Every structure is written in C-alpha cells, then in structure tokens.
Amino acid sequence: MTILHYVYKLYSLDTLDTRFITSSKSPFAAQEDPVKPSSKEERSGNVAGTGFDTSRQNSGPSPSRWGTAEYYVYYVIIIVSLIKMFKVAFDVSKPSHPNYSQYVSLLSPGWIPGRKVDNSDDQYSTFRGNVPYMFILLTLHPLLRKAYESLQPLQKTPSVSSADSKTNGHSSRSLATSTADSRLNQRVTFDLYFSLVFITALHGFSALKVFLILYANFTVAKRLPKGYVPTFTWMFNIGILFANELFKGYPFATLAVFIMPSANSKGSEAGVRIQNNWGSILDSYGGLISRWEVLFNITVLRLISFNLDYCWSLDRGGASPIEKKQLDPSNLSERDRVDLPAKTEDYSFRNYLTYALYAPLYLTGPIITFNDYISQLRYPPKSITLSRTLLYGARFLICLLTMEVMMHFVYAVAICKANPAWEIYSPFQLSMLGYFNLHHIWLKLLLPWRFFRLWALLDGIDPPENMVRCMSDNYSALAFWRGWHRSFNRWIIRYIYIPLGGSGTTGNWGKARAAINYLAVFTFVALWHDISLRLLAWGWLISLFILPEALAGFLFPKRKWQSRRNAYRVICGIGGTGNVLMMMAANLVGFAVGLDGLKGLVHGIVGSYSGLIFMITACASLFTGVQFMFELREHELRHGVFPGNEESAVAETIRKERAWHNVTAFLSLPDQPVTAGERHSVKARWPKPYTQEISASIIHLLSTRPQRTLSKVSDNQDDIIDWYAHEVGKHFVDVQLPVIIKLLHSSKPSTRLTDIRMFPPEHAVSAILDDVLSILTAVQAMYIAPLKAYILPVLSSTGHRELASFLETSFLQRHHALVAKLLCHNGFTEYLRNFFLRTGSALLSYKPSGLITDEDAMEEDHAVAIAELRGTQATNIKAVEEVGLGGAYAQRIFAEVMSELLTEYINSNYAGKWTSPSTIPEQLRDWVENHFARFVIEMLIILNGGIGPTADPRFQITFADVISWQQRAICDLGTLRLKELFDIVVAWDNDSKGAIEDLKHYVTTPTARVHLTNYFSGVISNRLLQPGASTTEILQMYTCIIRAFAALDPKGVLLERLARPIRRYLRERDDTVKVIVGGLLADADSDSNTPDTFVELAVELNKITEISAADDDDGELDWDDMSWLPDPVDAGPDFQKSKNLDVIGTLISIFESKDIFVKEFQNMMAERLLKRDFEFDKEIRVLELLKLRFGEPALQACEVMLRDVLDSRRVDAVIHKDQQLDRPINAQPAPEFHSKILSRLFWPALHGEDFCVPSQIEALQTRYSEGFETLKQSRKLTWLPALGQVTVEIHLDDRTVTEEVSTSQATVINAFHDSDSHAANPVQLTVDQIIDRLAMEKALVLSALTFWVSKLVLRESPPGTYTVLETLTATDLNHQDGTNQAAQAAAAADAVASAATTSAIRSEADVASEKMTVFWQFIVGMLTNQGAMSLARIVMMLKIAVPGGFPYGNEELKEFLGRMVLEGRLEVVGGSYKIVKV
C-alpha cells in the first residue's frame, strides 16, 4: 500500500460517513462496495427490470471532463486564486499592517514561534482550552464500559417459543432477539449511571432542573391522549426554549425569592439572608458548565424526538414492522432504523433518560433519533469498524491542526471584532476577511461535532456526520443547509418539514406552500439557536435566498436541457455563483459581523470602481469554482456516492404517501371470511368503485416502485404489489385460515391403511376435503381479481407484458407457498393423504386384510363405482393444483402413499412365507409391471389434465422407471425379510431357505449388504448377546447363522462381518470353550434332551468322515474350479475364506490359538476317563476325528491318557491275580478294589487331598502297590484317595441304603461304622472327632456329612453332632422339623450337586495358587529383612532371587498378596506391603 492510497482512504466519503456511499433504503453490508451502473443504463436512464423511464429524475453522470482543455484553464485560475487568497489574508494579519494595533490586544501567545494566536472567539476558546481533558474523557469512557461489560456479561437466554416456533430458524431468531435485549439492557444500565455522574459533574445542582424538565416532557408523551401529544410536545419544548432564555436558567437564588416570598415582603433581613444563603450556595455548585441552559437546546431536540417517535409508534399497532417486513434486525438500513418504531416496552422512562442524557452526544450532538438510538443499542452497527474509526480520528486531528495554523497566521476573527475602519482595506482584503471568518466559524463548529461523534463511534453508536463538505465546496443553498449541521437538518425534515407537508403538493399552491414551510423551518432554526433579532434575520435571509434557487429550478428544468448540457451547465454556474455570494452574506450576518458589519463590508467592496472590477473578477473566479464543484459531484456519481437530494425526496415521499393511501384503501380486503356455504357466491371481481384518482395513484406507484429484476421475487413493503401480497397473506392467516382449520379439525381422517376402518366413513372425509378445496379456490379468485383487473393491465399497457406476467406468477407463487406452509401443518396433509390412500387402494384393486366390508362384497357394479372414483380423483387433483397445494407438496404425499401401498402389499402377502424354492421375486416384479405402474401412469395423466402422455418429461414413463419400481419392491421385500431374519435363522432346520433366496435378490449392492449386517448385528445384540442367554443357546444360534449366511453369501463376507460381535462376546464368556468341547464329546442320542449340552456340535462332528490336508487354504487360486467367483466388492483387503470352512472350524477359530481347545479337551477327557469305567468308544472316536483337525502332536497327551486307562485294565487284572485281592479278609468278603494307573507327566493337575482311608482299603492299597512294584520294578505308585469312586451298601435296622459316592463320602460314613459296631445306641460323632480320626479337611467332612444327611442316613442333633439313623420315624421322614424343611432341602440339594459336580481336575487358579505358595517364603524373607516393599520392587527382587526367574506378572502377584492381606498375614501401608507383627 502506498502513501497515496492511505491519503485516499483518509479523505474518502466512506471514512467520513458510510451514509454517503450507502442508500438510506439499503443495509450497510448490502452496499459496502457500491457498484457503478453500466454505461448503457446511464445513457438510457432505464432501471433494470422496471421498464419505466427515469431520465427525468436522474439522467446519470456525464463523461469525465477532468482532462479537457476547459478544466486545465480552471486549474490555473483556481491555483492562482488560492495563492492570492491566502497571501492577502496573511498580509492583513501582519504586525506591520496599520490596523494591527487595534486588535493586538485580542491576540494571545501562540505555540508557533514568532506568531500570536487569534483565540478571541469565546465559544471556540472554551473548547480549545478543554481539549486535553476531553481526550482524557474520550479514553476513560470506553475503558469503563469494557470493565462494566466484563463484570456484567450478556445473558443469552432463549425466549419462550410460540406455537409455530418449532423450526430451527425461528429458534435461532428467538435466541438472537434475546441476546439483543440483553445487550440493550447492559448498555442502557451503564449509560444511565455514567450519564447521571456526567450531568452532575457538568451542571452541579442545576442537574435537578434538567431532570425535572425531562420528567415533565415524558409525562406529556405518556399521560396525554395520542392526538394531543404532538401539539403539546411542541408547545412545551418551545416554551422551555423561551423560558430558559428569559429566566437565565432559573438560578436558585431567584427561585428562593418565589419559594420564600414572605421574608422579602416583610423586609426581614434574616429572611433575605436565608434566601441568599441557600440559593447562592446551590448556585455556587454549578458544575463545570454552570449555564446549563446554553447547551440544553440540543437536549430539546431529543425530547421532541422521543415524544413524536412514541406517538407515531402507537399507529403501528401490536405487529412488529420488522417481522412484518421480514427484515434482519441486526442489519437494518438507516431509513428502517429511523422510521421503524422500537418495541413498546422500549419507550420506558429509563431508556428515555439514557437517550436524552447520552454523554458522548449530550453537549453538541450530532442528533440521533430515539428509534435509531435504541436500534443501535440492540444491534451493533456494521458500519463501525476499527480501521474506519481510526481514520476518522486521524481526520479530526488534521482538522484541529488546520484550525491551529489558521488561527496563528490569519487573524480574521480579531480584526472583525475590533470594528476597524473598513475603508483602509481593499475590496479583496475585505472579502478575504469575511471568507476566512466564515471558515473559522465552519471549523469551530466542525471540531466539537467531530470530536463528540468520534467519542460516540468509539462507544459503538454511529450518529450522522454533521458537516458533509467543506463550506467552500457548496454552490446550492439547499444543499449547503442540508450539509451544514446535517443531523439537525435531517431532524427538521423528519419532525417539522414532512409533517407540515413539505413540497409534495403539485401546482402553484404546492410551490407557495413549500416556501411557507421553508420560512417556518428556518424561523424555528433561528429561534432554536438563540432568541435574538440577528439570528432571526439570518433565518429569514436564508429563506429569502433559497427562493431564487427554487425559482431557477422552475424556470430552467433539467429535462428540457438534455440536448444542450453545456449551455445548461453555464446557466447553473451563474446561478451557483449567486448562491455562493448570498450564502456568504447570510452567514456573516448570523454568525460573524451582523447586519451593520455586513453593510460596511459591502460598501467597502462595491463602493468604488476598483471594487466593482474586483467584484467582477471574484464572480469569474467563483464561476470557475462552481464548475469545479459540478465536476466533483459528477465524479461522486460515477463512483456510487448517493447525492442525497433530500428536498425532491421529501416531495416525492408526500406524493407517494397520498397515492399509497388511496390505493391501499381501495385494495383493502373484507373482514368477513368465505365459508363453505358462501363459496359459490364469491365472484372473481372487485366490489369497490374504480375512480380516476385511484387509477392515477396506481400509475404513480407503479412508476416509482423499487427496482426489480425478472429473476428475483421482492419482499419490499414500499412496493404496492408486495404490499398487497403481504396483505393477502395477512388476511388469509387472520381471517380465512381459522375457518379452514375449524373445518379440517371437525373430523380426523386415517392416514394409514391398517387404521382406515377406525375412522369416519369415506364420504364424510371426502365432503370436508371438497369444502376446503372449494373455499380455497374462491378465496384465490377474490385475491387475484384486483391484481388482474387494475394493476397488471397498467404494466401491460405500457409495453411491459413480460413484467406483468412475471408479477402475476410471483404473486400466485407467494400465495401458494403461504397456503401450503399453513395448511400442511394444520391437518390438510392428513386429508390429502387419506384421499390418495383410498383411491389408490381401490383403483389398484387391493385392500389389506380387515378392510373388505359387507358393502364391498355385495357391490353389484364395481366398474361404475371405479369410474365415479376416477372422476372424483381427477376433480380433486385439479383443484389441489389450482390452489397451490399440488406440485412438490402433493407429489411428496402421493409418493409416500404409493410407497405405503407397495410396502403393505408385500407385508400382507409375503410375510412368513419362507418355502424353498421361492418364486416371490418373480411374482412381485410381475405385479409391479402390470398393476402398480399402470396406476401411476393413470395418476400422471390426471395431473396433466387428462390429455394423456405428452412431450413433457414429467408425464412420461419409460421402462427404466418400471425397472426402478421393481427394484424398490425388491428392496421392500428385502426389508421384510430382514425384519424376519432372526426368526428365519432360528427356523433354519424347518425349511426357511426360501426366505434366504428372497434375501439374495436384495443384497446385491454394497449398501444393502452393509445395511443387512448392521441391522442384523443390532438384532443379535438385543435378542441374543445378553447375560440371560446361555452360552449353549448363543452357540446354537451362531451355528444356524453360519449355515444360513453360507447359503446367502457363499464367499463368507457377510458372515465374517456379522460374526465379529458374536465371536467377541463368546470370547468374553468363561464357559465358551467348555461348552464347545462338551458338545464335541456329547452323545447325540442320549444327550439330545439335555438343554445345557451343545449336541448339535456332536451331530456336526459325526458328519465328518474325511478331512484332507488340502482343506487348508493356502491362498492360491484353484485354476480347475469352474465355479470360481471373485470376492465381493465390499470384502476387506485382508479377507480370506477357507474352501471347506465348516461349523466346527468356525467355532474353534473363535479363539486365536487352538491350544485353548486342546487344553480344555484334555481336562474334560481326563474327567471322563477317571469317572467312567473302561468303555471309551465315544472318546476314542472323537479323539481320532480331532487328530485330523488339530494334528497328532497337539493331542499326544490325550493319547497317553487314553492308553493309561486302557493299560490300567490289563495291569489291574494281573495284580488282582498275583496278589489275590479278591480273597476274603478275616472271614469277611474283601471289597472289590480296582485302580487306574496314570502317567503323572501327561495328565492335568489332579486333586491330591490326603486323608485316612478305612483300614481294609489301606491294606488292599498296600498289597496292590507291592504287586505293581513287582510287575513294574522301576516304578512306584502314589495313591490319590480323593479321586476314587465307591459303591457303598449300608445295612441299617429297617433298611439298606446303596449309593455311588466319592471316596471322601465313603470314608466319612465308614467312620461311624468303625466307632462302635456293637453299641446298643446309634453311633454319634462330632465334626471335630471325624476330622481328628480321618485327618481330612473340614470342608470335605462337612460336604460328606451334608450328603448323608440328605440321604437320611445321618441326623444332625445338636448342631455339630451327627447320629446314625438306624430306624426312620415319622419325624425323620418329615425331615425332623417342619420349620427347617426348606433349609434342609436346600442343603441336601447343594450337597448332592456338589458331590455330583466335583471335578477330579484341579482348576488353573488352584494350581497357580499352589505354585505361588512356593514363593511365599521368599517374600516373607525379603519383607522381614528389608522392611516394607512396593509391589514392583517385590517382583523385581523375586526375578533376581528365584532360580529360573519368577514366572508370574504383577497382576498375579497382586492377587496373591491381596489374599495374604485378607488372611491377616500382610498389611498395606502407603502402597507398600509389610509383615504383620503378632
């Protein structure tokens, strides 16, 4: 960026005020970068899209003349003139000038070396002296606001939504409104507090007078009737102006005389002292500006603004204009901010007081209306940016420096104040004194206005700029006064000029009235400035000097000089020169030298021959300057700057308002709605008389309507067509819609086929639909009648038929959109859906089950009924299209109905039909082609007016459409099968393969395949993968899924994707492996009725006869496989499928390693081998089959275990024969004793609990061991008494009990036999006695005792003591005590279950715990010697100290140490373990 660029930005009108580059009717953002109109539009004067000639109003800017020879001459004249002007002004201000001694006393020391400063203007001198303090205030105020806003942030609470505020758009608008209200409250609160402090500091106790006047004015606005408010507002405020001037601001000392007159009347010196005392004391505290009344004139304007804005807001009613116009409240145009009233609650005393006393604008303005102020408080103006504000501040500083330089080098103010002898000055010098005096006036007003506007901009308020241009850049009196104190001028136009009628009246009376209005306006302006004869004369002179300009405009209208533009420019230049002279004279009278001083200046200039020569030269120079100004205006037009011809705009506004009133009254709609009984009497014509005045008003409004293109529908309330469209919408909502809603709510039509019989008969619903459509047709005809009869013909007659057609179409589109939006949410959708549903089901000759009534069955002439139904259908669809409820809205409902009919047909005909082979897809395609498609074609013909197929693509049906409908039907069939898929899989063995065949037609695309797996995964998760389902049930269902999906997708992609959650869930279950291995070992015949046994796996295993090594998929392609197909497109990059993947292989692959299954199989094999005798055909067969799958090395241990058991039978027979174990012992028959000899290294960990077996058994064990050692000399037996099984036969007095029990149970009952076999009383033992005698663990003893109690062999009485029941009594049969029956039964059941399920194989946890005890001594030694240690340190020390390393991790050791803590052997202190000291 160059310096010139920044200079250009600094002096652009955009920096000064964005209002200069933005139309007052457009939001700032819309024209932030204004676009220059095309040259073609400039030349033709036509506004795009309207077709009306606007050349009379604006002929467009002319071509640039900056580079012409004429203007080069002007450049020379202007440069020479400027140099001469400044030199002459400087010469008369030199100390060497003869008149210097007369005004030197008025000069002050300056800051420029060698120059004094002309600070003789009291008004500017006050401002200049306070500039440093004002800059401090300018900095302090925004900082205080920031601090307050940080302490009191905005409360963004969404407002309560209304009945129709359910859409996201309305919710966001409600939140934005709430935020704006919060911002308004935040800013008003701070501004009010700051203003109170600010006003008190300025005026001291006189601030009370200000507050009293403000309250009185507020009372006028709020307490008086609306019609009296404007009159009394003007009377009160003008009276305040006079009273302030006459009573000098009402000093308290003077008020004291009126408050206490008795003291003065009696001549009491004490009373006078009291009066003077308190009145003078209050006056002495007058603040920084004790004469408050001098600056109160600005406040009066704000008081009037509030009262009139409030009064005019009452005419708007309750509806919000912003919502009515659908405007964005955060980005309103300036005109909308000023004209649109605030909310009713915003006109409060709090807001009023804040507005009237707003600190940045209180002293000098600029003036901003109340509506604009409230709008900017709610929403920050988009025109305020940091860069623009900084540039504006820089421009203010440049103006301040310019004023300082001029005051140091040109002493025009002091010279004029000294009343010199004017004759000593030459005419040129006199004119320059007046010229620079005026410039001083302009700058002294400009600087305070710009300073306080800068303050407001920093505070977030954008008031209008008061000074539009330099005073030397004005040639029009009207334009000068619109640019001089511009905010005041705008205030005058809004509150005085337009209410008086402005210049809007045509004819001679209109011109006269405009002149009178000018006089009234400038009279008020003069009195408002100061009640003095000098300013009153100034105001009348301004009014007088405006008349020549207005007369010249009447005599030389621009439209007549379009062909002679140069001549017209010369005439305007002459007039502009005269205007400049008259404006200089008027302002010198009003603000500088007065009438007498002006007479002296004029006499000095034109009182001699040289003066006349100078006057002619000066006029020529002024003519040059005016021409230069003309080209500047044209340059601004070329760059999109709005000239703001406010006078013509005001006149046009008044004319438009009158035309608007006439046309809107003519177009107003009746308040009575059209009802069902009156719909036939409504005629498509307008009942109001059409007069010539109405016609002229319509033509005027259409000729001045806003710009519009044919490609965009407007919503501008300034356009009569848009206004009428809005009124139509409002009438329809407020008047007509309630009648229609009431009619629609009088019944409730069905909207689904399955519910249709639950609602009123068809004829009742059809009658309501017919009434609604008839009313809508009649109302639409009434709405369109005036538009077609009176408004659009005006456009057509002027040759704009295309525009008229477009407006008619857009009007109907807006009305149709409104009707569709309102009715679709108020029940009409249900009626239209019911209509399509009934006609569709009837014409398709299809009704779902339950809908066929006796009347249907008894109907004799079905063809006649169908024909009548087709006629009704055509009539209603045509009416729906005409009233705007057709199009996409009706098509969407029709499509939904047809979709429902298709879905219902499939569900009612094909649900639950799963037989294979399936022909359902072929049947469905045939029905769609011959029934469904034909019906759709009939409907499209009706939509086309019954003409039949045309070239319109909307009404053409191709074979591709039929194919797409068939595909949709297949999709619906697939959806049905997908919903049934769980039941289909469950019933897989009961011939449900046909459903899978149907589903194959559905899963032909990756999307459908993904949907199937996602949906079915969710079903499985909800219905199967639950804690309530047993592992066996889950595995059975998984087996069915494998089979079903193998048929659905032979490649296995779907199964691989679906099986992931099932396999993951099964991996998390502890008994999955056990159930699978148990199923492999189950008997398909004997275990088929056992619910917890996975018998299907045994059946599947029996089907396997041969598995070759070729079953392993090595990833190579089989080039001889003629049925090979590529993998589906949705297969993952790592997808692989084995060629012979079966159920068993799938289940075993749930876990990553097959070692888990081998280990579990080994455990279960060991369990079965130990519990069963020597019949192991099932186990041998399963083992051989699993060898083929897992390989022989993996099952070597199982092979050894089986060989051990089989060898044991042979060894046992040899030992029995050698040791004669079957011979009697002590004349008693020896117990039958057999053993199984196990190889210790190949069997799982076995229970090794040791206890004392009966003596005869111990003797047999000894003999058996001797026989084994004789047979196997290098081997030795270790007995495991806890793993044996015993058949016990107990002979009691009244019965014999025979049971198959464990060795521990047999040993416990034998203890009672060995105690005293010859005792007369029943044998009785305690638990402790049994433990001591048998050396058996207490748990085993209690388990055995409980078992025998449940068999009624023992009885516990008292607790801990058990007695043999030799004879059963009735009490024993009733379980000894009725109160303990439930507890005893439960205990017996637990004992039986415990005995039955006791496993010979030790669990991994038990084995690990036993191994962990080996390391306990290491841990005790470390903790004893080294003290408390953390878990990590213990693990580290064990890995070092234990030979071979510590095989466990932190978690296992932590669990073991936790058990030690629970046993009281360790304690945890601060995360470290230590030995518990006893």
Side-chain angles (χ1 to χ4, degrees), residues 914-920 991 993-994 997-998:
W914 306 335
T915 306
S916 177
S918 176
T919 60
I920 290 176
D991 194 15
K993 298 179 181 179
E997 295 172 4
D998 296 340

Side-chain angles (χ1 to χ4, degrees), residues 253-561:
T254 304
L255 293 176
V257 176
F258 291 96
I259 295 174
M260 304 177 62
S262 57
N264 189 37
S265 61
K266 293 180 181 179
S268 173
E269 295 182 1
V272 172
R273 284 198 302 273
I274 292 174
Q275 292 173 357
N276 293 336
N277 187 23
W278 72 267
S280 300
I281 290 175
L282 294 180
D283 285 334
S284 64
Y285 292 97
L288 299 175
I289 304 177
S290 58
R291 293 196 59 192
W292 62 273
E293 73 278 4
V294 175
L295 300 174
F296 192 73
N297 293 7
I298 291 288
T299 306
V300 167
L301 302 181
R302 288 191 283 267
L303 303 188
I304 296 173
S305 173
F306 172 83
N307 283 20
L308 296 185
D309 281 356
Y310 170 70
C311 178
W312 293 338
S313 71
L314 300 177
D315 297 331
R316 297 278 185 170
S320 171
I322 293 178
E323 295 180 359
K324 185 176 180 181
K325 293 186 176 185
Q326 299 181 357
L327 301 174
D328 179 8
S330 64
N331 192 22
L332 296 174
S333 66
E334 186 197 18
R335 178 176 176 179
D336 288 334
R337 289 204 314 263
V338 173
D339 291 346
L340 297 182
K343 296 181 180 180
T344 303
E345 58 269 20
D346 290 339
Y347 294 95
S348 62
F349 184 72
R350 179 170 172 262
N351 292 351
Y352 160 75
L353 200 63
T354 304
Y355 164 68
L357 302 178
Y358 180 57
L361 305 180
Y362 173 75
L363 293 175
T364 63
I367 303 163
I368 186 173
T369 66
F370 179 80
N371 291 340
D372 194 3
Y373 175 73
I374 292 297
S375 177
Q376 294 192 45
L377 288 186
R378 286 184 181 278
Y379 302 98
K382 297 183 182 299
S383 57
I384 298 179
T385 63
L386 179 61
S387 61
R388 188 178 288 114
T389 303
L390 293 177
L391 289 173
Y392 187 83
R395 196 159 174 175
F396 164 76
L397 294 176
I398 292 174
C399 291
L400 182 64
L401 181 62
T402 302
M403 183 68 163
E404 287 295 309
V405 171
M406 191 180 74
M407 291 170 60
H408 279 78
F409 289 95
V410 178
Y411 304 145
V413 178
I415 293 173
C416 292
K417 278 196 172 186
N419 293 322
W422 300 110
E423 59 274 7
I424 67 173
Y425 294 101
S426 67
F428 192 14
Q429 291 174 337
L430 288 174
S431 62
M432 289 303 99
L433 288 175
Y435 176 78
F436 280 98
N437 205 335
L438 289 176
H439 264 281
H440 181 89
I441 296 171
W442 176 72
L443 282 173
K444 82 171 184 179
L445 296 177
L446 171 75
L447 290 172
W449 284 338
R450 286 199 175 171
F451 173 83
F452 289 109
R453 183 170 183 264
L454 175 62
W455 184 4
L457 290 174
L458 291 173
D459 194 44
I461 297 296
D462 186 9
E465 171 64 28
N466 267 341
M467 292 296 192
V468 177
R469 315 178 179 276
C470 174
M471 62 159 291
S472 297
D473 187 14
N474 284 280
Y475 58 85
S476 168
L478 287 173
F480 175 78
W481 291 117
R482 284 194 296 270
W484 180 289
H485 206 169
R486 180 165 167 265
S487 64
F488 186 34
N489 176 266
R490 294 158 65 90
W491 185 94
I492 289 171
I493 292 175
R494 174 171 172 80
Y495 297 109
I496 300 178
Y497 190 65
I498 291 180
L500 289 177
S503 57
T505 307
T506 58
N508 295 330
W509 164 243
K511 300 296 182 181
R513 182 174 180 178
I516 296 173
N517 291 340
Y518 287 139
L519 183 62
V521 164
F522 282 102
T523 300
F524 171 79
V525 171
L527 295 176
W528 176 82
H529 277 89
D530 195 4
I531 302 177
S532 65
L533 181 61
R534 186 178 69 176
L535 283 176
L536 193 60
W538 166 80
W540 290 342
L541 281 175
I542 293 298
S543 302
L544 178 63
F545 291 162
I546 286 176
L547 291 179
E549 184 176 347
L551 182 61
F554 177 75
L555 295 176
F556 301 96
K558 185 177 181 179
R559 63 179 181 273
K560 293 182 179 181
W561 295 81

Side-chain angles (χ1 to χ4, degrees), residues 1103-1172:
K1103 296 179 183 180
I1104 301 176
T1105 59
E1106 181 180 357
I1107 302 178
S1108 64
D1111 291 340
D1112 296 332
D1113 189 3
D1114 57 0
E1116 296 290 337
L1117 292 176
D1118 185 2
W1119 301 102
D1120 296 328
D1121 186 4
M1122 302 306 297
S1123 62
W1124 176 87
L1125 292 174
D1127 292 338
V1129 295
D1130 56 339
D1134 56 346
F1135 171 75
Q1136 290 184 352
K1137 178 184 181 297
S1138 178
K1139 295 179 180 178
N1140 294 312
L1141 184 63
D1142 58 348
V1143 173
I1144 296 177
T1146 304
L1147 295 179
I1148 291 176
S1149 66
I1150 290 176
F1151 294 89
E1152 297 179 357
S1153 175
K1154 62 183 179 181
D1155 295 340
I1156 299 175
F1157 287 93
V1158 172
K1159 188 173 183 179
E1160 184 64 29
F1161 180 76
Q1162 182 181 359
N1163 292 338
M1164 295 191 69
M1165 186 82 169
E1167 188 78 27
R1168 294 169 71 92
L1169 292 176
L1170 290 176
K1171 287 190 174 181
R1172 299 183 63 179

Side-chain angles (χ1 to χ4, degrees), residues 961-978:
D961 297 322
V962 178
I963 295 297
S964 66
W965 293 335
Q966 290 176 341
Q967 292 174 350
R968 169 59 193 275
I970 294 299
C971 287
D972 286 348
L973 178 63
T975 302
L976 173 63
R977 292 293 182 250
L978 188 56

Side-chain angles (χ1 to χ4, degrees), residues 853-909:
T853 61
D854 294 339
E855 292 79 6
D856 295 325
M858 297 174 61
E859 188 176 2
E860 297 180 356
D861 195 355
H862 183 68
V864 175
I866 291 297
E868 293 178 355
L869 185 61
R870 292 182 187 278
T872 303
Q873 185 186 47
T875 302
N876 287 343
I877 291 179
K878 182 179 179 182
V880 167
E881 287 286 338
E882 289 179 352
V883 299
L885 294 172
Y889 171 68
Q891 292 171 16
R892 177 178 59 83
I893 298 175
F894 175 67
E896 292 174 356
V897 169
M898 295 308 297
S899 176
E900 183 176 346
L901 287 172
L902 181 60
T903 303
E904 194 65 31
Y905 175 82
I906 294 171
N907 292 341
S908 61
N909 285 277

